[in-house]
mmCIF file of all heavy atoms in Angstrom:
data_model
loop_
_atom_site.group_PDB
_atom_site.id
_atom_site.type_symbol
_atom_site.label_atom_id
_atom_site.label_comp_id
_atom_site.label_asym_id
_atom_site.label_seq_id
_atom_site.Cartn_x
_atom_site.Cartn_y
_atom_site.Cartn_z
ATOM 1 N N GLY A 213 5.507 8.786 -23.881
ATOM 2 C CA GLY A 213 4.372 9.674 -24.085
ATOM 3 C C GLY A 213 3.088 8.968 -23.717
ATOM 4 O O GLY A 213 3.043 7.731 -23.618
ATOM 5 N N ALA A 214 2.013 9.732 -23.545
ATOM 6 C CA ALA A 214 0.761 9.173 -23.031
ATOM 7 C C ALA A 214 0.138 8.136 -23.949
ATOM 8 O O ALA A 214 -0.645 7.290 -23.502
ATOM 9 C CB ALA A 214 -0.241 10.301 -22.784
ATOM 10 N N HIS A 215 0.465 8.169 -25.242
ATOM 11 C CA HIS A 215 -0.219 7.295 -26.193
ATOM 12 C C HIS A 215 0.586 6.054 -26.569
ATOM 13 O O HIS A 215 0.098 5.218 -27.327
ATOM 14 C CB HIS A 215 -0.571 8.075 -27.458
ATOM 15 C CG HIS A 215 -1.423 9.277 -27.187
ATOM 16 N ND1 HIS A 215 -2.712 9.178 -26.718
ATOM 17 C CD2 HIS A 215 -1.159 10.608 -27.273
ATOM 18 C CE1 HIS A 215 -3.211 10.394 -26.546
ATOM 19 N NE2 HIS A 215 -2.283 11.274 -26.876
ATOM 20 N N TYR A 216 1.807 5.928 -26.061
ATOM 21 C CA TYR A 216 2.681 4.851 -26.517
ATOM 22 C C TYR A 216 2.630 3.605 -25.639
ATOM 23 O O TYR A 216 2.510 2.490 -26.147
ATOM 24 C CB TYR A 216 4.128 5.349 -26.588
ATOM 25 C CG TYR A 216 4.367 6.407 -27.627
ATOM 26 C CD1 TYR A 216 4.486 7.746 -27.277
ATOM 27 C CD2 TYR A 216 4.459 6.082 -28.980
ATOM 28 C CE1 TYR A 216 4.712 8.729 -28.227
ATOM 29 C CE2 TYR A 216 4.683 7.060 -29.945
ATOM 30 C CZ TYR A 216 4.804 8.382 -29.554
ATOM 31 O OH TYR A 216 5.018 9.336 -30.517
ATOM 32 N N THR A 217 2.773 3.757 -24.331
ATOM 33 C CA THR A 217 2.855 2.598 -23.433
ATOM 34 C C THR A 217 1.581 2.465 -22.614
ATOM 35 O O THR A 217 1.350 3.208 -21.665
ATOM 36 C CB THR A 217 4.075 2.706 -22.504
ATOM 37 O OG1 THR A 217 5.268 2.645 -23.286
ATOM 38 C CG2 THR A 217 4.083 1.560 -21.495
ATOM 39 N N GLN A 218 0.730 1.525 -23.023
ATOM 40 C CA GLN A 218 -0.458 1.162 -22.263
ATOM 41 C C GLN A 218 -0.174 -0.196 -21.632
ATOM 42 O O GLN A 218 0.009 -1.180 -22.344
ATOM 43 C CB GLN A 218 -1.677 1.095 -23.172
ATOM 44 C CG GLN A 218 -1.741 2.148 -24.264
ATOM 45 C CD GLN A 218 -1.735 3.580 -23.762
ATOM 46 O OE1 GLN A 218 -1.893 3.839 -22.567
ATOM 47 N NE2 GLN A 218 -1.540 4.525 -24.653
ATOM 48 N N PHE A 219 -0.067 -0.250 -20.321
ATOM 49 C CA PHE A 219 0.260 -1.516 -19.663
ATOM 50 C C PHE A 219 -0.955 -2.031 -18.901
ATOM 51 O O PHE A 219 -1.664 -1.279 -18.246
ATOM 52 C CB PHE A 219 1.473 -1.352 -18.736
ATOM 53 C CG PHE A 219 1.264 -0.436 -17.559
ATOM 54 C CD1 PHE A 219 0.969 -0.960 -16.310
ATOM 55 C CD2 PHE A 219 1.387 0.944 -17.690
ATOM 56 C CE1 PHE A 219 0.786 -0.119 -15.212
ATOM 57 C CE2 PHE A 219 1.207 1.787 -16.613
ATOM 58 C CZ PHE A 219 0.907 1.255 -15.362
ATOM 59 N N ILE A 220 -1.211 -3.321 -19.060
ATOM 60 C CA ILE A 220 -2.378 -3.952 -18.456
ATOM 61 C C ILE A 220 -1.925 -5.006 -17.456
ATOM 62 O O ILE A 220 -1.104 -5.877 -17.776
ATOM 63 C CB ILE A 220 -3.270 -4.600 -19.527
ATOM 64 C CG1 ILE A 220 -3.769 -3.534 -20.499
ATOM 65 C CG2 ILE A 220 -4.447 -5.322 -18.877
ATOM 66 C CD1 ILE A 220 -4.653 -2.465 -19.864
ATOM 67 N N VAL A 221 -2.461 -4.913 -16.249
ATOM 68 C CA VAL A 221 -2.134 -5.848 -15.168
ATOM 69 C C VAL A 221 -3.375 -6.656 -14.825
ATOM 70 O O VAL A 221 -4.416 -6.095 -14.468
ATOM 71 C CB VAL A 221 -1.624 -5.093 -13.930
ATOM 72 C CG1 VAL A 221 -1.366 -6.067 -12.784
ATOM 73 C CG2 VAL A 221 -0.372 -4.282 -14.250
ATOM 74 N N TYR A 222 -3.282 -7.960 -14.957
ATOM 75 C CA TYR A 222 -4.382 -8.849 -14.576
ATOM 76 C C TYR A 222 -3.862 -10.290 -14.598
ATOM 77 O O TYR A 222 -2.807 -10.576 -15.174
ATOM 78 C CB TYR A 222 -5.597 -8.707 -15.509
ATOM 79 C CG TYR A 222 -6.867 -9.225 -14.875
ATOM 80 C CD1 TYR A 222 -7.507 -8.496 -13.874
ATOM 81 C CD2 TYR A 222 -7.412 -10.438 -15.242
ATOM 82 C CE1 TYR A 222 -8.656 -8.976 -13.271
ATOM 83 C CE2 TYR A 222 -8.567 -10.919 -14.640
ATOM 84 C CZ TYR A 222 -9.183 -10.184 -13.644
ATOM 85 O OH TYR A 222 -10.312 -10.665 -13.035
#
Side-chain angles (χ1 to χ4, degrees):
H215 303 294
Y216 294 103
T217 295
Q218 322 301 348
F219 65 99
I220 299 297
V221 177
Y222 200 74

